[in-house]
């Protein structure tokens, strides 16, 4: 299975990607996670990306394409993958197509998860990340708890800079203007499956599994 998970920031791509990755035993490749790890490790890439990400802007295409080429050179991608957060510009989509051609991959599907913008703003404002393991939780999941349910770190929850309301609105604007054309690009190739992202995690996941099984 080779999927590109597509949708506005906060629509639930990461959560769904993790579930699919566990179910089908294929890697979840999140360009946002790769960048956040680089920021945490303060690598050259991380130093470059840090400010861009906290402003809510996109990291330049050539940097992102380099990251993806490197990631796809690893053998764990041979059996399939769930790509989350890439491509985010038409140029990235064109370069990804070239890479897939070189790799003889021609069975990808783009899963478009859609939701109302105001709901997205509310959801992102309501979520917290663990600074140790990067997992994301809703406020109700971690209510009164100071311990991360995933890695057990203490006092590690924080609101990501890019989840603050003014930054979210900017990211949604960039999504509409720069990322949405990617959807049309794949629609022309007949590769899009669309799913409503507004249900619970379990509902969205089961709808996705049903559609993918067709
Ligand atoms: P995400 O966790 O996917 O929402 O990504 C967090 C941030 O990482 C984005 O707001 C961008 O600054 C950056 N980023 C992730 N993926 C890409 C991409 N494909 N192109 C450009 N920037 C990206």
């Amino acid at each position: 299975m080779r999927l590109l998970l597509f949708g506005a920031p906060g629509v639930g791509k990461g959560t769904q990607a993790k579930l699919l990755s566990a179910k089908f035993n294929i890697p979840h490749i999140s360009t946002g996670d790769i960048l956040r790890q680089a920021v945490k490790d303060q690598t050259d890439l991380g130093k470059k990306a840090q400010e861009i990400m906290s402003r809510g802007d996109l990291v330049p295409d050539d940097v992102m394409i380099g990251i993806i080429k490197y990631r796809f050179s690893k053998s764990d991608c041979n059996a399939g993958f769930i790509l989350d957060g890439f491509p985010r510009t038409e140029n990235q989509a064109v370069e990804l197509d070239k890479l897939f051609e070189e790799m003889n991959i021609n069975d990808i599907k783009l899963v478009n998860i859609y939701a109302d913008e105001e709901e997205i703003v509310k959801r992102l404002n309501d979520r917290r990340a663990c600074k140790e393991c990067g997992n994301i939780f809703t406020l109700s999941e971690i209510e009164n708890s100071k311990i991360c349910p995933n890695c057990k770190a203490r006092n590690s929850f924080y609101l990501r800079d890019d989840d603050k309301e003014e930054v979210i609105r900017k990211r949604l604007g960039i999504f509409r203007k720069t990322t949405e054309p990617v959807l049309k690009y794949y629609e022309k190739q007949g590769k899009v499956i669309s799913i409503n992202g507004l249900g619970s995690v379990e509902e969205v996941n089961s709808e996705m599994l049903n559609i993918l099984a067709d």
Side-chain angles (χ1 to χ4, degrees), residues 2 62 210:
R2 299 183 173 97
D62 56 335
N210 283 341

Side-chain angles (χ1 to χ4, degrees), residues 31-32 35-36 53 57 59 64 85-86 88 92 160 171:
T31 46
L35 290 169
R36 277 184 288 278
M53 290 170 77
D57 284 325
V59 173
M64 296 312 301
F86 190 97
R88 257 174 155 105
Q92 291 179 10
R160 273 169 35 183
R171 291 170 77 200

Side-chain angles (χ1 to χ4, degrees), residues 9-133:
V11 82
K13 298 185 295 291
T15 308
Q16 294 300 329
K18 283 194 182 69
L19 292 173
L20 293 172
S21 157
K23 180 164 175 70
F24 295 105
N25 199 21
I26 48 178
H28 166 206
I29 303 174
S30 154
T31 46
D33 284 352
I34 293 172
L35 290 169
R36 277 184 288 278
Q37 187 62 47
V39 170
K40 195 171 166 199
D41 297 343
Q42 283 295 292
T43 62
D44 287 347
L45 166 67
K47 287 180 194 156
K48 258 193 251 167
Q50 188 160 19
E51 206 204 314
I52 301 174
M53 290 170 77
S54 45
R55 284 198 310 260
D57 284 325
L58 293 182
V59 173
D61 282 348
D62 56 335
V63 175
M64 296 312 301
I65 291 157
I67 291 175
I68 281 297
K69 283 193 174 155
Y70 175 72
R71 185 62 187 85
F72 276 121
S73 69
K74 308 254 172 180
S75 59
D76 65 337
C77 299
N78 294 346
F81 50 81
I82 314 284
L83 192 48
D84 158 16
F86 190 97
R88 257 174 155 105
T89 67
E90 207 166 329
N91 185 27
Q92 291 179 10
V94 171
E95 291 301 318
L96 186 63
D97 265 357
K98 286 188 200 158
L99 184 62
F100 285 157
E101 209 175 305
E102 282 167 25
M103 294 166 74
N104 278 323
I105 289 177
N106 50 23
D107 60 352
I108 62 121
K109 289 254 174 281
L110 181 140
V111 180
N112 169 37
I113 310 179
Y114 59 91
D116 174 73
E117 271 199 14
E118 289 313 308
E119 184 59 31
I120 289 177
V121 173
K122 192 168 150 293
R123 273 196 197 180
L124 286 181
N125 248 316
D126 258 18
R127 75 181 193 179
R128 295 293 179 272
C130 167
K131 68 173 181 290
E132 292 307 323
C133 68

Side-chain angles (χ1 to χ4, degrees), residues 136-179:
I136 304 271
F137 303 95
T138 61
L139 283 177
S140 62
E141 281 171 322
I142 56 172
E143 214 177 6
N144 300 324
S145 167
K146 291 188 163 54
I147 297 174
C148 171
N150 182 52
C151 72
K152 313 292 175 218
R154 194 168 258 282
N155 290 326
S156 60
F157 300 121
Y158 74 109
L159 177 65
R160 273 169 35 183
D161 280 345
D162 57 350
D163 282 350
K164 293 180 180 152
E165 181 159 348
E166 72 273 18
V167 183
I168 296 170
R169 300 236 177 240
K170 179 171 175 186
R171 291 170 77 200
L172 288 170
I174 293 175
F175 174 76
R176 255 182 271 119
K177 190 163 162 250
T178 311
T179 305

